[in-house]
Amino acid sequence: MVGGWLSIGMGQQAWQGWQDDLHYGRPRTYQIDAVVGHNHDTSATPSHFIALNLHGQITVIELPAGDPSKIHVYKTGIALLGSNQDLTPAQVAFKDLDGDGKPDMVVSVGDQSIAFKNQNDVFSPTPMKEVKA
C-alpha cells in the first residue's frame, strides 16, 4: 500500500510538471497583454508583459504598447530557493491597489506576491507593498 501511495503521488507530480511544460514552457514563461497607460497603449495596441522564471530569479519584461524600442525590465527581487524552483511559474496581474485610477502590477509566484506602483509610465522598481496570495 505504501508503494502504491508513493507511486500515485509521483504520478500526480509528473502529470502537473507535464501540464506546466505545455502551458509555460522551459524556462517558465507567462505572457499577458494589458492596457496600463504606458506609451499611449490602447486596447488595439496594449502593452505586452512577459514573466520569466530563469534559474529561480523572477523577471518581468514590458513592451509598452507593443513597442520593443521602449522595453522595460523589472527585477522583482523574488528569488526561489530549493530543488526544482526554476519550474515554478510566475504570473502577472494588474489592479488598482492604491486608488489612483492606474492599474498597478502584481507579480505572483507560488505563495508569494509583490506589487509595483504604476507611476510616470513605468512600474516603480521598489515594491509598494507585499500582497497576500
Side-chain angles (χ1 to χ4, degrees):
M1 272 181 35
V2 171
W5 183 259
L6 290 173
S7 295
I8 289 172
M10 290 171 56
Q12 287 175 332
Q13 188 175 23
W15 176 256
Q16 183 64 48
W18 181 75
Q19 287 182 321
D20 284 346
D21 283 347
L22 288 176
H23 190 77
Y24 300 105
R26 287 189 188 218
R28 295 295 190 237
T29 307
Y30 175 81
Q31 300 184 51
I32 188 169
D33 289 333
V35 177
V36 296
H38 296 179
N39 199 39
H40 308 292
D41 59 356
T42 65
S43 58
T45 57
S47 292
H48 186 74
F49 295 84
I50 303 167
L52 181 65
N53 177 349
L54 187 59
H55 307 297
Q57 297 292 319
I58 308 302
T59 303
V60 177
I61 302 165
E62 175 187 8
L63 287 80
D67 184 352
S69 70
K70 300 206 173 23
I71 195 166
H72 298 287
V73 178
Y74 304 102
K75 299 289 185 180
T76 65
I78 298 174
L80 305 174
L81 304 173
S83 178
N84 291 326
Q85 288 299 310
D86 59 329
L87 298 179
T88 304
Q91 295 185 339
V92 179
F94 301 93
K95 50 185 143 180
D96 184 7
L97 298 173
D98 55 2
D100 65 357
K102 295 188 252 179
D104 302 303
M105 179 172 67
V106 179
V107 180
S108 302
V109 60
D111 61 353
Q112 300 178 67
S113 291
I114 200 153
F116 295 85
K117 183 171 178 54
N118 186 349
Q119 59 186 10
N120 303 323
D121 279 351
V122 295
F123 292 100
S124 68
T126 305
M128 59 187 275
K129 65 179 178 178
E130 299 228 1
V131 176
K132 277 284 214 191

